[in-house]
Amino acid sequence: MKLILTGIAGEVQEATVAHKIISQAYGAENVIADKGYDSDEIRRHIRNRSAIPIIPRRSNSMRPNSEFDSHLYKHRPLVENLFARLKHLRGIATRFEKLARNYRAIVYLACSMIGLKLGK
């Protein structure tokens, strides 16, 4: 797992750093994301990395989505649930640590605890 910090105050929208995140997904066969990442530029970047974008189209989109695999997309809530569990930890949710290296270390520790079922 690799953690990328996008902004100190959390104002940075995920889609604005999508290229950086996707570029660091080495060897990924599929990239699963929500509708917020539905853009031709992001899909093209994923394909250039030899991966398949599993991104649903927005409801107002008129383009077909032949690559969308609903079975794979059902696994996305596993990641969302991890973030929900991390938000229960006050120090992580409020980013109590100001130094990026300390915050990153705490998030890795919390993820390890959740993975070992030691967390909430």
Side-chain angles (χ1 to χ4, degrees):
M1 179 176 90
K2 182 156 183 148
L3 175 67
I4 299 171
L5 300 178
T6 57
I8 294 175
E11 294 100 11
V12 177
Q13 185 188 18
E14 297 164 351
T16 60
V17 293
H19 291 292
K20 182 177 180 180
I21 295 168
I22 293 165
S23 295
Q24 295 187 10
Y26 301 107
E29 294 177 14
N30 300 296
V31 174
I32 302 172
D34 61 6
K35 292 179 184 182
Y37 292 90
D38 180 23
S39 77
D40 290 333
E41 184 182 340
I42 291 174
R43 288 174 187 274
R44 189 171 29 258
H45 186 65
I46 293 170
R47 285 188 206 101
N48 288 342
R49 306 277 306 166
S50 299
I52 300 170
I54 309 296
I55 305 170
R57 291 281 185 187
R58 291 195 172 110
S59 60
N60 61 352
S61 177
M62 300 303 276
R63 295 190 174 142
N65 198 2
S66 60
E67 297 171 317
F68 184 72
D69 185 343
S70 61
H71 179 70
L72 283 176
Y73 191 71
K74 289 179 184 177
H75 295 288
R76 192 181 68 81
L78 296 174
V79 176
E80 298 292 335
N81 292 343
L82 172 66
F83 285 115
R85 292 187 77 181
L86 286 172
K87 288 180 182 179
H88 286 285
L89 304 171
R90 184 174 166 259
I92 293 173
T94 60
R95 184 153 180 192
F96 187 74
E97 288 293 331
K98 300 303 177 210
L99 293 176
R101 69 167 192 235
N102 293 349
Y103 183 70
R104 186 178 289 116
I106 290 172
V107 172
Y108 281 138
L109 180 62
C111 288
S112 299
M113 290 175 58
I114 290 169
L116 295 171
K117 306 283 188 209
L118 298 175
K120 287 185 179 180

